[in-house]
Amino acid sequence: MSALTEHSELILDGTKLAWHQERIEAWERGERIAPITIDMALTRACNYACHFCYAMLQENDRQTITQKVIYDFLEDCAEIGVRGVSLVSDGESTISPVFTDAVVRGSELGLSMACGTNGFVFNRRKLEEVLPHLTYLRVNISAGERGRYAEIMGVREEWFDRVVQNLRDMVEIKQRLGLKVTIGMQMVLMPQYADQVLPLARLGRDIGPDYLIIKHCSDDEDGSLGVDYGGYAKLHEMLHEAEGLSRPGYAVRVKWSKIEAAGRRSYQRCYGPPFMLQISGSGLVAPCGMLFNERYKKLHIGNICDTRFKDIWASDRYWEVMNHLASPDFDAQRMCGSLCLQHKVNEYLDARQKGRVLPTVPAGPPPEHLDFV
Protein backbone atom coordinates (compact mmCIF):
# COMPACT_ATOMS: atom_id res chain seq x y z
CA MET A 1 0.00 0.00 0.00
CA SER A 2 1.27 3.48 -0.82
CA ALA A 3 2.53 5.64 2.02
CA LEU A 4 0.19 8.32 0.68
CA THR A 5 -2.90 6.28 1.41
CA GLU A 6 -1.86 4.27 4.45
CA HIS A 7 -3.30 5.79 7.65
CA SER A 8 -2.77 9.44 6.80
CA GLU A 9 -1.44 11.95 4.33
CA LEU A 10 2.07 13.16 3.59
CA ILE A 11 2.72 16.88 4.01
CA LEU A 12 5.00 17.79 1.12
CA ASP A 13 4.34 21.53 1.11
CA GLY A 14 4.17 22.74 4.69
CA THR A 15 5.39 21.84 8.16
CA LYS A 16 4.41 19.27 10.76
CA LEU A 17 5.57 21.42 13.65
CA ALA A 18 2.01 21.88 14.96
CA TRP A 19 2.06 18.22 16.08
CA HIS A 20 4.99 18.99 18.42
CA GLN A 21 3.26 21.31 20.87
CA GLU A 22 5.22 20.06 23.89
CA ARG A 23 8.53 21.07 22.35
CA ILE A 24 7.19 24.41 21.12
CA GLU A 25 5.91 25.22 24.60
CA ALA A 26 9.28 24.30 26.13
CA TRP A 27 10.99 26.64 23.65
CA GLU A 28 8.53 29.41 24.49
CA ARG A 29 9.41 28.98 28.16
CA GLY A 30 13.06 29.56 27.27
CA GLU A 31 14.16 25.95 27.72
CA ARG A 32 17.03 24.51 25.70
CA ILE A 33 15.21 22.10 23.41
CA ALA A 34 16.74 19.43 21.22
CA PRO A 35 16.06 19.73 17.48
CA ILE A 36 13.17 17.58 16.29
CA THR A 37 14.86 17.09 12.92
CA ILE A 38 18.51 17.36 11.90
CA ASP A 39 19.26 17.65 8.20
CA MET A 40 22.86 16.72 7.44
CA ALA A 41 25.26 15.22 4.95
CA LEU A 42 27.95 12.62 5.54
CA THR A 43 30.33 14.26 3.06
CA ARG A 44 30.72 17.50 1.11
CA ALA A 45 31.66 15.50 -1.98
CA CYS A 46 29.25 14.80 -4.82
CA ASN A 47 29.47 12.79 -8.03
CA TYR A 48 27.09 15.15 -9.87
CA ALA A 49 27.39 18.78 -11.03
CA CYS A 50 23.77 19.96 -11.00
CA HIS A 51 23.34 23.47 -12.37
CA PHE A 52 20.82 24.33 -9.64
CA CYS A 53 23.01 23.19 -6.75
CA TYR A 54 22.90 25.61 -3.83
CA ALA A 55 25.53 23.61 -1.94
CA MET A 56 28.19 24.83 -4.36
CA LEU A 57 27.74 28.30 -2.85
CA GLN A 58 28.40 27.10 0.71
CA GLU A 59 32.01 25.88 0.80
CA ASN A 60 33.65 25.56 4.22
CA ASP A 61 36.64 23.85 5.80
CA ARG A 62 36.25 20.15 5.16
CA GLN A 63 36.75 17.39 7.69
CA THR A 64 35.92 13.69 7.37
CA ILE A 65 32.91 12.19 9.11
CA THR A 66 34.21 8.76 10.11
CA GLN A 67 32.23 5.82 11.45
CA LYS A 68 33.16 6.78 15.03
CA VAL A 69 32.10 10.38 14.47
CA ILE A 70 28.71 9.42 13.04
CA TYR A 71 28.08 6.71 15.66
CA ASP A 72 28.86 9.18 18.47
CA PHE A 73 26.65 11.77 16.81
CA LEU A 74 23.68 9.41 16.42
CA GLU A 75 24.01 8.22 20.01
CA ASP A 76 24.01 11.84 21.16
CA CYS A 77 20.92 12.58 19.06
CA ALA A 78 19.04 9.68 20.62
CA GLU A 79 20.16 10.72 24.12
CA ILE A 80 19.07 14.38 23.93
CA GLY A 81 15.77 13.77 22.13
CA VAL A 82 16.30 14.34 18.41
CA ARG A 83 13.55 12.51 16.53
CA GLY A 84 14.68 12.32 12.90
CA VAL A 85 17.92 12.61 10.90
CA SER A 86 17.66 13.31 7.18
CA LEU A 87 20.79 12.69 5.11
CA VAL A 88 20.36 15.45 2.55
CA SER A 89 22.14 18.80 3.16
CA ASP A 90 25.22 19.80 1.14
CA GLY A 91 26.74 16.57 -0.17
CA GLU A 92 25.86 13.18 -1.66
CA SER A 93 25.74 11.04 1.48
CA THR A 94 25.39 7.75 -0.41
CA ILE A 95 29.00 7.98 -1.63
CA SER A 96 30.32 8.19 1.93
CA PRO A 97 31.83 4.89 3.14
CA VAL A 98 29.79 5.23 6.36
CA PHE A 99 26.39 5.72 4.66
CA THR A 100 24.94 2.25 5.24
CA ASP A 101 26.36 2.05 8.76
CA ALA A 102 24.85 5.44 9.62
CA VAL A 103 21.37 4.52 8.38
CA VAL A 104 21.31 1.18 10.16
CA ARG A 105 22.81 2.48 13.42
CA GLY A 106 20.44 5.44 13.57
CA SER A 107 17.47 3.17 13.03
CA GLU A 108 18.66 0.77 15.73
CA LEU A 109 18.88 3.71 18.16
CA GLY A 110 15.22 4.55 17.52
CA LEU A 111 15.83 7.55 15.27
CA SER A 112 13.81 8.02 12.10
CA MET A 113 16.32 8.01 9.24
CA ALA A 114 15.79 9.45 5.77
CA CYS A 115 17.86 10.20 2.69
CA GLY A 116 17.78 12.55 -0.27
CA THR A 117 20.06 11.42 -3.08
CA ASN A 118 20.79 11.52 -6.78
CA GLY A 119 20.28 7.75 -6.64
CA PHE A 120 23.24 6.81 -8.80
CA VAL A 121 25.38 4.57 -6.59
CA PHE A 122 22.61 2.33 -5.32
CA ASN A 123 22.55 -1.32 -6.30
CA ARG A 124 20.04 -3.94 -5.22
CA ARG A 125 22.25 -5.20 -2.39
CA LYS A 126 22.67 -1.73 -0.87
CA LEU A 127 18.97 -0.98 -1.31
CA GLU A 128 17.96 -4.20 0.46
CA GLU A 129 20.30 -3.24 3.33
CA VAL A 130 19.07 0.31 3.87
CA LEU A 131 15.42 0.45 2.76
CA PRO A 132 14.13 -1.41 5.86
CA HIS A 133 15.79 1.24 8.04
CA LEU A 134 14.59 4.36 6.19
CA THR A 135 11.43 6.39 6.73
CA TYR A 136 11.77 7.88 3.26
CA LEU A 137 14.16 7.79 0.32
CA ARG A 138 13.85 10.66 -2.14
CA VAL A 139 15.68 10.75 -5.47
CA ASN A 140 16.52 14.09 -7.03
CA ILE A 141 15.86 13.54 -10.74
CA SER A 142 15.19 16.93 -12.28
CA ALA A 143 14.48 15.81 -15.85
CA GLY A 144 12.48 13.10 -17.55
CA GLU A 145 14.58 12.70 -20.71
CA ARG A 146 18.16 11.46 -21.09
CA GLY A 147 19.65 14.44 -22.92
CA ARG A 148 18.12 17.10 -20.72
CA TYR A 149 18.97 15.09 -17.60
CA ALA A 150 22.63 15.12 -18.63
CA GLU A 151 22.53 18.89 -19.24
CA ILE A 152 20.69 19.86 -16.06
CA MET A 153 22.45 17.47 -13.70
CA GLY A 154 25.93 17.68 -15.18
CA VAL A 155 26.49 14.00 -15.95
CA ARG A 156 26.62 11.58 -18.87
CA GLU A 157 23.34 10.56 -20.55
CA GLU A 158 23.68 6.90 -19.62
CA TRP A 159 23.57 7.83 -15.94
CA PHE A 160 19.90 8.61 -16.43
CA ASP A 161 19.23 4.98 -17.38
CA ARG A 162 21.00 3.71 -14.28
CA VAL A 163 19.06 6.02 -11.94
CA VAL A 164 15.75 5.06 -13.56
CA GLN A 165 16.58 1.38 -13.07
CA ASN A 166 17.57 2.04 -9.46
CA LEU A 167 14.19 3.70 -8.90
CA ARG A 168 12.43 0.69 -10.38
CA ASP A 169 14.45 -1.55 -8.04
CA MET A 170 13.48 0.59 -5.03
CA VAL A 171 9.80 0.22 -5.85
CA GLU A 172 10.11 -3.53 -6.47
CA ILE A 173 12.05 -4.17 -3.24
CA LYS A 174 9.62 -2.11 -1.20
CA GLN A 175 6.65 -4.04 -2.57
CA ARG A 176 8.31 -7.46 -2.34
CA LEU A 177 9.45 -6.99 1.26
CA GLY A 178 6.31 -5.12 2.35
CA LEU A 179 8.32 -2.16 3.62
CA LYS A 180 6.80 1.06 4.97
CA VAL A 181 9.48 3.30 3.50
CA THR A 182 8.16 6.14 1.32
CA ILE A 183 9.89 6.39 -2.06
CA GLY A 184 9.79 9.76 -3.74
CA MET A 185 11.14 11.56 -6.78
CA GLN A 186 12.00 15.26 -6.70
CA MET A 187 12.38 17.87 -9.41
CA VAL A 188 14.18 21.10 -8.54
CA LEU A 189 12.47 23.39 -11.02
CA MET A 190 14.06 26.44 -12.55
CA PRO A 191 11.84 28.08 -15.19
CA GLN A 192 14.23 27.06 -17.98
CA TYR A 193 13.64 23.39 -17.09
CA ALA A 194 9.90 23.65 -17.80
CA ASP A 195 10.10 21.33 -20.80
CA GLN A 196 10.90 18.48 -18.41
CA VAL A 197 7.93 18.83 -16.05
CA LEU A 198 5.51 16.65 -18.00
CA PRO A 199 8.07 14.06 -19.22
CA LEU A 200 9.19 13.56 -15.62
CA ALA A 201 5.63 13.31 -14.30
CA ARG A 202 4.90 10.64 -16.95
CA LEU A 203 8.13 8.79 -16.13
CA GLY A 204 7.17 8.71 -12.46
CA ARG A 205 3.74 7.36 -13.36
CA ASP A 206 5.50 4.53 -15.21
CA ILE A 207 8.02 3.76 -12.43
CA GLY A 208 5.48 3.93 -9.58
CA PRO A 209 7.08 5.63 -6.58
CA ASP A 210 4.81 7.10 -3.93
CA TYR A 211 5.18 10.64 -5.20
CA LEU A 212 6.92 13.17 -7.40
CA ILE A 213 7.43 16.57 -5.79
CA ILE A 214 8.14 19.58 -8.02
CA LYS A 215 9.79 22.34 -6.01
CA HIS A 216 11.30 25.80 -6.42
CA CYS A 217 15.03 26.47 -6.60
CA SER A 218 16.58 28.35 -3.69
CA ASP A 219 19.17 31.07 -4.31
CA ASP A 220 21.51 33.00 -2.04
CA GLU A 221 21.08 36.61 -1.03
CA ASP A 222 23.26 37.69 -3.97
CA GLY A 223 21.23 35.75 -6.55
CA SER A 224 24.29 33.72 -7.55
CA LEU A 225 22.29 30.97 -9.29
CA GLY A 226 20.23 33.50 -11.22
CA VAL A 227 16.83 32.00 -10.39
CA ASP A 228 14.09 33.87 -12.29
CA TYR A 229 11.37 33.79 -9.65
CA GLY A 230 9.04 35.79 -11.89
CA GLY A 231 9.24 33.03 -14.48
CA TYR A 232 7.35 30.52 -12.31
CA ALA A 233 4.08 32.38 -12.84
CA LYS A 234 4.05 31.35 -16.50
CA LEU A 235 4.24 27.66 -15.60
CA HIS A 236 1.08 27.29 -13.50
CA GLU A 237 -1.04 25.66 -16.21
CA MET A 238 1.68 23.12 -16.98
CA LEU A 239 2.21 22.37 -13.30
CA HIS A 240 -1.52 21.74 -12.80
CA GLU A 241 -1.42 19.41 -15.81
CA ALA A 242 1.45 17.51 -14.20
CA GLU A 243 -0.53 17.13 -10.97
CA GLY A 244 -3.34 15.69 -13.09
CA LEU A 245 -1.09 12.74 -13.94
CA SER A 246 -1.43 11.45 -10.39
CA ARG A 247 -3.07 8.06 -9.95
CA PRO A 248 -3.80 5.83 -6.97
CA GLY A 249 -0.47 5.11 -5.28
CA TYR A 250 1.39 7.87 -7.17
CA ALA A 251 0.91 11.54 -6.40
CA VAL A 252 2.38 14.46 -8.34
CA ARG A 253 2.64 17.42 -6.00
CA VAL A 254 3.85 20.97 -6.58
CA LYS A 255 5.27 23.07 -3.73
CA TRP A 256 2.88 25.86 -4.60
CA SER A 257 3.49 27.93 -1.47
CA LYS A 258 7.17 28.43 -2.21
CA ILE A 259 6.74 28.80 -5.97
CA GLU A 260 4.09 31.46 -5.44
CA ALA A 261 6.20 33.22 -2.79
CA ALA A 262 8.52 34.34 -5.62
CA GLY A 263 11.54 34.21 -3.32
CA ARG A 264 10.05 36.50 -0.66
CA ARG A 265 9.74 35.97 3.11
CA SER A 266 6.88 37.29 5.25
CA TYR A 267 8.94 37.33 8.47
CA GLN A 268 12.11 38.92 9.81
CA ARG A 269 13.03 36.73 12.80
CA CYS A 270 14.48 33.26 12.25
CA TYR A 271 12.96 30.92 14.86
CA GLY A 272 13.35 27.61 13.03
CA PRO A 273 16.89 26.27 13.69
CA PRO A 274 16.28 25.11 17.31
CA PHE A 275 13.61 22.80 15.85
CA MET A 276 15.27 21.95 12.53
CA LEU A 277 19.05 22.15 12.56
CA GLN A 278 21.44 21.62 9.65
CA ILE A 279 24.93 20.12 9.63
CA SER A 280 27.34 20.26 6.71
CA GLY A 281 29.03 17.21 5.24
CA SER A 282 32.22 18.73 6.65
CA GLY A 283 30.84 18.16 10.16
CA LEU A 284 30.16 21.88 10.64
CA VAL A 285 27.21 22.66 12.92
CA ALA A 286 25.48 25.84 11.77
CA PRO A 287 21.89 27.03 12.17
CA CYS A 288 21.04 26.34 8.53
CA GLY A 289 22.55 25.42 5.19
CA MET A 290 22.45 28.99 3.96
CA LEU A 291 25.00 29.88 6.64
CA PHE A 292 27.55 27.11 5.93
CA ASN A 293 29.85 29.37 3.90
CA GLU A 294 33.02 30.59 5.61
CA ARG A 295 31.86 34.20 5.31
CA TYR A 296 29.19 33.41 7.94
CA LYS A 297 31.78 32.09 10.40
CA LYS A 298 30.47 34.33 13.18
CA LEU A 299 27.34 32.15 13.18
CA HIS A 300 29.17 28.80 13.10
CA ILE A 301 28.85 26.78 16.30
CA GLY A 302 31.22 23.81 16.22
CA ASN A 303 32.14 20.63 14.36
CA ILE A 304 31.05 17.10 15.22
CA CYS A 305 34.42 15.81 13.99
CA ASP A 306 36.06 17.68 16.87
CA THR A 307 33.40 17.83 19.60
CA ARG A 308 30.56 15.53 20.64
CA PHE A 309 27.25 16.88 19.38
CA LYS A 310 25.60 16.75 22.80
CA ASP A 311 28.33 19.04 24.10
CA ILE A 312 27.92 21.45 21.15
CA TRP A 313 24.16 21.49 21.71
CA ALA A 314 24.54 22.16 25.46
CA SER A 315 27.08 24.94 24.96
CA ASP A 316 26.39 28.63 25.52
CA ARG A 317 27.70 29.27 21.98
CA TYR A 318 24.91 27.17 20.44
CA TRP A 319 22.21 29.11 22.23
CA GLU A 320 23.86 32.49 21.68
CA VAL A 321 23.63 31.89 17.93
CA MET A 322 20.04 30.63 18.11
CA ASN A 323 18.96 33.60 20.21
CA HIS A 324 20.72 36.04 17.88
CA LEU A 325 18.76 34.74 14.87
CA ALA A 326 15.49 35.18 16.77
CA SER A 327 16.36 38.73 17.87
CA PRO A 328 15.77 42.15 16.30
CA ASP A 329 19.49 42.17 15.42
CA PHE A 330 18.81 39.66 12.64
CA ASP A 331 16.58 40.25 9.60
CA ALA A 332 15.93 37.17 7.49
CA GLN A 333 14.49 39.30 4.69
CA ARG A 334 17.83 41.06 4.18
CA MET A 335 20.46 38.67 5.51
CA CYS A 336 19.36 35.31 4.05
CA GLY A 337 18.93 33.64 0.71
CA SER A 338 15.53 32.67 -0.64
CA LEU A 339 13.15 30.06 0.73
CA CYS A 340 15.43 28.05 3.01
CA LEU A 341 14.77 24.60 4.47
CA GLN A 342 13.36 26.14 7.65
CA HIS A 343 11.03 28.51 5.73
CA LYS A 344 7.72 26.81 6.56
CA VAL A 345 8.78 26.24 10.18
CA ASN A 346 9.62 29.94 10.40
CA GLU A 347 6.27 30.93 8.91
CA TYR A 348 4.43 28.82 11.48
CA LEU A 349 6.43 30.07 14.47
CA ASP A 350 6.23 33.69 13.31
CA ALA A 351 2.45 33.42 12.99
CA ARG A 352 2.26 31.81 16.43
CA GLN A 353 4.38 34.54 18.01
CA LYS A 354 2.04 37.12 16.47
CA GLY A 355 -1.08 35.30 17.68
CA ARG A 356 -2.25 34.24 14.22
CA VAL A 357 -2.28 30.49 14.92
CA LEU A 358 -3.68 28.67 17.92
CA PRO A 359 -1.28 26.65 20.13
CA THR A 360 -3.17 23.38 19.59
CA VAL A 361 -2.59 20.08 17.82
CA PRO A 362 -4.57 20.00 14.55
CA ALA A 363 -7.67 17.83 14.56
CA GLY A 364 -7.72 14.49 12.77
CA PRO A 365 -5.08 11.82 12.31
CA PRO A 366 -1.47 13.00 12.29
CA PRO A 367 0.37 13.03 8.95
CA GLU A 368 3.15 10.67 7.98
CA HIS A 369 6.78 11.32 8.93
CA LEU A 370 6.18 13.43 12.04
CA ASP A 371 9.86 13.21 12.97
CA PHE A 372 10.73 15.34 9.92
CA VAL A 373 9.14 18.71 10.54
Side-chain angles (χ1 to χ4, degrees):
M1 182 178 292
S2 166
L4 290 175
T5 57
E6 182 183 278
H7 304 308
S8 55
E9 209 45 16
L10 281 175
I11 293 179
L12 297 173
D13 183 17
T15 177
K16 297 176 280 292
L17 192 58
W19 283 269
H20 296 276
Q21 292 296 316
E22 184 177 329
R23 203 156 308 197
I24 297 172
E25 291 164 4
W27 172 74
E28 290 175 333
R29 291 192 299 268
E31 296 178 20
R32 294 185 169 189
I33 62 166
I36 299 165
T37 304
I38 294 180
D39 178 271
M40 68 179 299
L42 297 174
T43 177
R44 279 281 293 139
C46 187
N47 48 351
Y48 274 51
C50 303
H51 290 186
F52 53 81
C53 182
Y54 187 89
M56 293 188 298
L57 308 176
Q58 299 300 324
E59 190 58 68
N60 55 70
D61 290 338
R62 299 193 183 195
Q63 295 197 56
T64 300
I65 297 177
T66 63
Q67 186 191 69
K68 182 182 187 314
V69 168
I70 194 62
Y71 277 16
D72 287 349
F73 169 79
L74 293 168
E75 289 167 7
D76 289 349
C77 286
E79 180 181 330
I80 70 173
V82 175
R83 298 278 299 274
V85 175
S86 54
L87 300 175
V88 187
S89 199
D90 61 344
E92 177 55 43
S93 290
T94 62
I95 67 175
S96 164
V98 302
F99 170 72
T100 301
D101 290 341
V103 171
V104 174
R105 181 62 178 149
S107 173
E108 290 173 344
L109 288 166
L111 298 165
S112 292
M113 301 297 295
C115 179
T117 172
N118 57 44
F120 182 74
V121 303
F122 281 114
N123 53 41
R124 293 186 68 88
R125 178 191 57 76
K126 180 175 280 193
L127 286 169
E128 290 186 349
E129 278 187 274
V130 300
L131 283 176
H133 296 278
L134 288 169
T135 298
Y136 71 78
L137 178 62
R138 185 179 66 237
V139 176
N140 185 0
I141 176 171
S142 292
E145 298 170 328
R146 295 175 91 241
R148 289 289 279 143
Y149 179 89
E151 293 171 5
I152 293 168
M153 304 197 71
V155 295
R156 295 193 295 271
E157 287 191 18
E158 56 265 30
W159 288 29
F160 174 79
D161 302 324
R162 177 167 167 172
V163 171
V164 169
Q165 184 57 53
N166 287 344
L167 275 159
R168 295 189 190 280
D169 289 345
M170 292 173 199
V171 172
E172 187 277 326
I173 291 168
K174 171 184 173 172
Q175 293 174 345
R176 173 166 50 84
L177 299 181
L179 302 176
K180 293 182 179 180
V181 59
T182 299
I183 296 171
M185 295 166 56
Q186 173 178 282
M187 179 182 196
V188 179
L189 175 64
M190 294 179 77
Q192 59 265 40
Y193 307 159
D195 62 300
Q196 292 303 295
V197 169
L198 293 175
L200 184 57
R202 295 187 186 105
L203 177 65
R205 187 180 172 101
D206 175 58
I207 294 172
D210 295 294
Y211 68 85
L212 163 66
I213 184 72
I214 301 170
K215 67 181 291 270
H216 65 292
C217 183
S218 295
D219 209 339
D220 68 7
E221 63 270 40
D222 299 322
S224 301
L225 293 178
V227 183
D228 175 18
Y229 286 107
Y232 287 120
K234 303 173 184 177
L235 308 181
H236 285 200
E237 184 176 346
M238 178 187 296
L239 292 171
H240 283 298
E241 184 178 350
E243 288 185 318
L245 292 171
S246 300
R247 60 172 173 76
Y250 168 65
V252 180
R253 300 277 180 82
V254 175
K255 281 198 172 184
W256 287 109
S257 71
K258 287 192 173 182
I259 284 177
E260 292 175 344
R264 296 184 296 270
R265 298 172 187 269
S266 61
Y267 52 88
Q268 290 80 38
R269 306 288 83 79
C270 179
Y271 300 123
F275 298 88
M276 189 178 197
L277 184 70
Q278 288 185 267
I279 297 177
S280 171
S282 67
L284 171 69
V285 179
C288 73
M290 289 191 169
L291 300 176
F292 284 162
N293 193 286
E294 281 297 296
R295 64 174 169 166
Y296 303 116
K297 199 157 191 171
K298 66 179 182 179
L299 296 173
H300 293 173
I301 302 168
N303 193 300
I304 62 171
C305 298
D306 300 323
T307 308
R308 292 284 296 241
F309 177 66
K310 63 182 178 182
D311 296 327
I312 294 174
W313 169 77
S315 70
D316 290 341
R317 171 65 180 168
Y318 182 98
W319 292 101
E320 286 167 2
V321 172
M322 297 300 169
N323 292 335
H324 170 73
L325 296 178
S327 77
D329 295 328
F330 187 83
D331 185 348
Q333 292 178 343
R334 294 187 300 104
M335 300 178 182
C336 288
S338 61
L339 306 177
C340 63
L341 185 68
Q342 291 86 351
H343 178 65
K344 301 306 291 186
V345 173
N346 272 325
E347 282 188 335
Y348 174 86
L349 291 169
D350 184 68
R352 178 166 172 143
Q353 292 294 299
K354 294 173 179 175
R356 295 201 301 264
V357 297
L358 295 174
T360 56
V361 177
E368 297 284 330
H369 306 172
L370 275 179
D371 296 338
F372 301 98
V373 293

